[in-house]
Amino acid sequence: MRLMLLCAFAALTATAQQLSAQTSSISVTSPSALSISAATAGGQPVGQSTTASYSVTVVGGRKKITAQLEAPLPPGVTLTISLAAPSGAVSLGSATLSTSSRDMVRYIAIGQYTSLTVTLSLNASVSAGVVPFNYSHVVLTLVDDP
Amino acid sequence: MSRYSMFIAGGALSLAVSGVLQAQTGTQTVAFDVQAINKIAATGSPSLTINTAVAGAQPTQATSNGNSYAITTNDTGRKITIEIDVDMPTDVTLRASLAPPGGATSAGFVTLSHTTPQNAVTGISQRAETGLFIHYTLDALVTAGIVSGSRTVLLTVLAGP
């Protein structure tokens, strides 16, 4: 009896591993630091941009990618993001990030897509003041696209 | 619960957790900062000429009003000082007045010198403005005689009251 149960447990674990390999997923790299340090006299500080990359695997159904911040940015500071679309999908262009999720890429079909470009731009108004070195976490989520 | 049924529960839990761990999210860490920015620029090429007087009085003051400056600062508690690259000739006086950005205070007309920068505007905090006027006046006593020359006016954004 004990042997049968152990076999059943092993079978369940194997099934779990198989399912895990078949799950849609998204991963993203972190970009280089963004530092605002210049302005034209009379103008707002000059924004800075950087790029990173993301990969996405869709094993079933049609998916979309949403983006949001884990926590608000300091007042007067904005972070915008745009994601290159996988083949056949549609990028919704640039969006200003907030703690509310918003659609970035839609209609992603089954497939594995790698090294897609993420562009991030940091802007700050003078009212933001001097902002010490800081971190922001951008969350990309892969969800069903109805 | 028997040891065997606990084993089975563990297997089922393993299956369920495996699905959860494959959360379809990716998190990107973005490092950023905004450094102190203090920029100022002036426009215009003022020219002041004194060439008349009322009989019995000192020469009549010359003025120049068609000049402006722009400023950007994300700092607080800034001021603008003004100075010239070379002192004026004896008995010739160049003065300037700067319009203040919002929330700041102008010192009005100040006498320009090379040796002592003057506070022209104080109390500037986090402003980006253009088209702020600079007014100049030039005065000369008769003892100055006939003179000509040019001076470079230097505006500087500094920490200050």
Side-chain angles (χ1 to χ4, degrees), chain A residues 5 29 35 43 136 138 140 142, chain B residues 4 24 26 28 30-31 33 35 72:
Chain A
L5 285 170
T29 64
S35 183
S136 178
V138 179
L140 302 182
L142 188 64
Chain B
Y4 303 125
Q24 298 166 10
Q28 188 172 48
V30 182
D33 71 343
Q35 299 177 12
T72 291

Side-chain angles (χ1 to χ4, degrees), chain B residues 108-132:
Chain B
F109 279 99
V110 295
T111 300
L112 305 188
S113 80
H114 169 60
T115 51
T116 309
Q118 303 294 312
N119 289 341
V121 180
T122 56
I124 308 168
S125 291
Q126 299 178 342
R127 306 297 300 186
E129 293 190 31
T130 60
L132 298 162

Side-chain angles (χ1 to χ4, degrees), chain A residues 2 5 9 16 20 23-24 26 28-31 33-37 39-40 42-43 52 120 122 126-127 129-131 133-142, chain B residues 3-4 7-8 10-12 14-15 18 22 24-37 39-41 70-75 126-130:
Chain A
R2 180 181 295 183
L5 285 170
F9 175 74
S20 111
T23 303
S24 297
I26 186 169
V28 60
T29 64
S30 292
L34 289 160
S35 183
I36 291 179
S37 60
T40 300
L120 290 151
L122 180 73
V126 291
S127 62
V130 178
V131 180
F133 202 67
N134 211 328
Y135 292 96
S136 178
H137 299 293
V138 179
V139 180
L140 302 182
T141 305
L142 188 64
Chain B
R3 197 182 338 170
Y4 303 125
F7 244 144
I8 294 173
S14 172
L15 176 62
S18 175
Q22 286 298 320
Q24 298 166 10
T25 63
T27 300
Q28 188 172 48
T29 300
V30 182
F32 66 93
D33 71 343
V34 181
Q35 299 177 12
I37 299 170
K39 295 286 184 181
I40 189 167
I71 184 171
T72 291
T73 179
N74 62 353
D75 257 330
Q126 299 178 342
R127 306 297 300 186
E129 293 190 31
T130 60

